[in-house]
């Protein structure tokens, strides 16, 4: 004869997937189900973040990474197996997230964050997680999140130590507010290098272990959880972890008065008649309907419009992002010297390039462009529904 106790046990075995969460009094599984999270980076840290978000039942995930899985990733990446070597990290991480939580809607984007991922994807997300290993990418994510008014949780690991911190400019301190003069000097050194040298400097591995990645990736995912539930979160603050002595402490960041990212965010609009196949003239005309006069159309990217040879003067039009310009385009084959790039950040109403399409400027899909006059700046989001659930 069965006792009441064993009946109780057999009932508890039929608990639903999230029932252990739902007994937490503030927990709202439906909030997680409708949440949209963008994870930038699917390396050691990204693996931990993605794993936890999938287990928590986050409904919509977008994963960005440009690299392929190599053998050296396997010691630090819970979502990858040896048979996945050679696959794109973003794609495999997305498949593994779906294995962990089949109901998740997950999309992968293979590309470099600075050149291939439109600002519209940042705007799509409720919150962004940075699982990055370099300052340049963090600066880009910080600016992208600021332009579209989204918070982001940064993570960093260094052997036994790690840091997780949250930013939401203009309201709180942002990543750039926390950067020291030394950090800026390092960035400037890199930017003063030629395009060729910049490329070579970009790909350097940092020492990481799966254990510190687990600690910091878990904190990042938990901060997403708290933010989505409206609990007090790490936004504007940092969590520092020292793994040797097990010291951990909290830091509160203050806004750096010299940081220029703390202004009121521009309104951003959608218009289903416009896409990255539209011409810049059509974008201008759209802006004129809303602003009256448009003085400039701004591109928040580093686009090289042409390169010129300092010796023979030969000029080549290219329209490609400085991060991805082919090395062959930066050399004059005749003189064998590096050509000088000319950057394009803005088009005026008389620009000779107005009849070119948005995509022919080397701009990614899901881009946001910015129109301004002396009084106002507005954004136009050219995103074309990356997810079915996107509205
Ligand atoms: Zn700032
Ligand atoms: Zn030349």
């Amino acid at each position: 004869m069965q006792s009441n106790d064993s009946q109780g046990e057999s009932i508890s075995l039929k608990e639903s997937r999230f029932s252990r969460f739902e007994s937490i009094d503030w927990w709202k599984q439906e909030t997680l189900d409708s949440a949209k999270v963008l994870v930038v980076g699917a390396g050691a840290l990204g693996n931990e973040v993605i794993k936890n978000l999938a287990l928590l039942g986050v409904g919509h995930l977008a994963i960005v990474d440009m690299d392929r899985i190599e053998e050296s990733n396997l010691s630090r990446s819970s979502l990858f197996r040896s048979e996945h070597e050679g696959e794109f990290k973003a794609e495999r991480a997305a498949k593994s997230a779906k294995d962990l939580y089949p109901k998740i809607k997950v999309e992968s984007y293979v590309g470099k964050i600075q050149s291939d991922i439109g600002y519209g994807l940042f705007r799509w997300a409720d919150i962004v997680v940075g699982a990055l290993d370099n300052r340049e990418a963090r600066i880009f994510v910080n600016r992208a999140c600021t332009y579209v008014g989204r918070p982001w949780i940064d993570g960093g690991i260094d052997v036994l130590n790690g840091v997780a911190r949250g930013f939401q400019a203009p309201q709180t301190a942002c990543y750039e507010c926390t950067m020291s003069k030394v950090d800026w000097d390092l960035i400037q050194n890199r930017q003063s290098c030629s395009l060729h040298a910049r490329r070579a400097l970009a790909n350097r591995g940092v020492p990481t272990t799966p254990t510190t990645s687990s600690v910091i990736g878990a904190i990042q995912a938990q901060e997403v959880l708290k933010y989505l539930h409206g609990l007090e979160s790490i936004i504007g603050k940092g969590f520092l972890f020292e793994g040797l002595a097990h010291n951990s402490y909290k830091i509160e960041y203050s806004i750096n008065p010299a940081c220029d990212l703390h202004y009121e965010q521009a309104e951003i609009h959608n218009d289903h008649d416009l896409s990255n196949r539209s011409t810049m003239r059509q974008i201008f005309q759209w802006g004129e309907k809303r602003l009256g006069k448009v003085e400039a159309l701004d591109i928040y990217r580093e686009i090289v419009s042409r390169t010129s040879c300092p010796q023979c003067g030969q000029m080549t039009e290219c329209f490609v992002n400085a991060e991805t310009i082919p090395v062959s385009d930066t050399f004059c084959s005749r003189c064998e010297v590096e050509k000088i790039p000319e950057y394009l950040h803005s088009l005026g109403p008389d620009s000779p390039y107005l009849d070119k399409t948005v995509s022919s400027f080397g701009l990614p899909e899901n881009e946001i462009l910015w129109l301004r006059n002396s009084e106002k700046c507005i954004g136009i989001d050219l995103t074309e529904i990356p997810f079915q659930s996107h509205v």
Side-chain angles (χ1 to χ4, degrees):
M1 207 177 116
Q2 270 189 323
S3 74
N4 280 341
D5 275 3
S6 68
Q7 274 180 2
E9 259 176 46
S10 70
I11 289 164
S12 75
L13 285 175
K14 288 180 197 149
E15 282 180 320
S16 67
R17 182 178 190 101
F18 299 123
S19 58
R20 293 298 171 103
F21 301 162
E22 281 156 0
S23 57
I24 299 166
D25 59 2
W26 49 265
W27 198 279
K28 294 194 191 86
Q29 199 63 47
E30 65 281 9
T31 298
L32 296 177
D33 187 50
S34 61
K36 304 182 186 103
V37 183
L38 167 62
V39 179
V40 188
L45 206 46
N47 264 250
E48 290 301 312
V49 171
I50 293 160
K51 177 201 80 183
N52 283 316
L53 294 177
L55 292 176
L56 289 166
V58 164
H60 309 82
L61 205 58
I63 302 170
V64 176
D65 197 292
M66 67 183 290
D67 292 325
R68 290 180 188 270
I69 298 168
E70 294 172 16
E71 193 184 351
S72 69
N73 303 131
L74 300 176
S75 59
R76 294 168 289 123
S77 309
S78 57
L79 304 177
F80 305 152
R81 305 285 176 269
S82 55
E83 63 266 29
H84 304 146
E85 264 180 66
E87 292 182 33
F88 283 111
K89 289 180 182 176
E91 290 177 358
R92 175 46 61 185
K95 286 180 187 151
S96 298
K98 200 133 184 104
D99 284 345
L100 286 173
Y101 178 40
K103 273 178 71 185
I104 198 170
K105 292 193 174 71
V106 55
E107 204 106 333
S108 55
Y109 294 82
V110 174
K112 188 161 187 168
I113 190 77
Q114 291 98 321
S115 52
D116 303 327
I117 308 303
Y119 293 114
L121 194 62
F122 289 84
R123 184 169 175 245
W124 164 85
D126 298 313
I127 182 165
V128 176
V129 181
L132 302 158
D133 63 4
N134 68 84
R135 286 184 190 83
E136 281 87 349
R138 287 191 177 93
I139 289 175
F140 184 86
V141 168
N142 186 59
R143 291 193 179 180
C145 288
T146 304
Y147 300 149
V148 302
R150 296 293 183 270
W152 76 286
I153 313 282
D154 179 36
I157 43 183
D158 181 16
V159 195
L160 295 179
N161 304 328
V163 59
R165 42 197 175 175
F167 303 112
Q168 188 167 22
Q171 298 96 316
T172 74
C174 74
Y175 175 68
E176 289 190 30
C177 291
T178 70
M179 283 176 62
S180 66
K181 185 170 181 312
V182 176
D183 293 326
W184 283 113
D185 287 348
L186 287 165
I187 298 276
Q188 251 142 32
N189 281 347
R190 189 169 109 84
Q191 281 179 346
S192 63
C193 291
S194 67
L195 287 172
H196 188 51
R198 276 169 65 171
R199 192 72 44 78
L201 277 169
N203 293 324
R204 284 201 188 151
V206 293
T208 51
T209 63
T211 44
T212 311
S213 306
S214 291
V215 174
I216 298 300
I219 296 285
Q220 288 180 281
Q222 186 157 284
E223 290 304 324
V224 169
L225 175 74
K226 285 158 61 182
Y227 173 82
L228 291 171
H229 279 87
L231 300 176
E232 191 192 335
S233 74
I234 205 172
I235 307 292
K237 291 173 244 174
F239 165 81
L240 276 74
F241 173 73
E242 291 173 357
L244 189 61
H246 283 291
N247 292 320
S248 67
Y249 45 97
K250 240 168 67 180
I251 284 193
E252 205 139 327
Y253 297 113
S254 42
I255 295 173
N256 178 350
C259 178
D260 61 6
L261 292 175
H262 300 267
Y263 51 83
E264 201 187 329
Q265 192 215 325
E267 290 164 24
I268 301 172
H269 302 258
N270 287 85
D271 187 321
H272 294 302
D273 293 334
L274 297 173
S275 71
N276 74 341
R277 296 176 301 280
S278 305
T279 63
M280 290 298 190
R281 191 179 301 283
Q282 288 172 308
I283 307 284
F284 242 93
Q285 284 163 350
W286 175 88
E288 279 164 357
K289 274 192 234 147
R290 275 144 198 91
L291 292 178
K293 193 172 173 222
V294 174
E295 284 165 14
L297 187 164
D298 293 330
I299 298 170
Y300 291 0
R301 301 258 172 199
E302 227 184 339
I303 300 297
V304 178
S305 55
R306 53 190 184 180
T307 55
S308 57
C309 173
Q311 282 182 22
C312 70
Q314 193 206 49
M315 196 107 79
T316 317
E317 259 193 12
C318 49
F319 294 102
V320 51
N321 196 294
E323 294 286 337
T324 48
I325 190 167
V327 170
S328 58
D329 284 5
T330 67
F331 277 100
C332 176
S333 50
R334 245 184 292 170
C335 314
E336 294 195 333
V337 293
E338 197 161 353
K339 296 208 246 171
I340 298 165
E342 202 172 290
Y343 296 101
L344 181 117
H345 292 117
S346 203
L347 301 177
D350 303 322
S351 163
Y353 304 131
L354 289 184
D355 291 315
K356 284 173 70 67
T357 62
V358 174
S359 65
S360 71
F361 279 78
L363 295 169
E365 286 179 14
N366 309 328
E367 185 64 317
I368 299 178
L369 297 170
W370 310 85
L371 296 137
R372 67 177 153 87
N373 59 28
S374 54
E375 275 148 38
K376 203 171 174 188
C377 173
I378 56 172
I380 171 75
D381 184 349
L382 303 174
T383 300
E384 290 183 274
I385 313 176
F387 285 84
Q388 301 228 312
S389 55
H390 181 67
V391 280

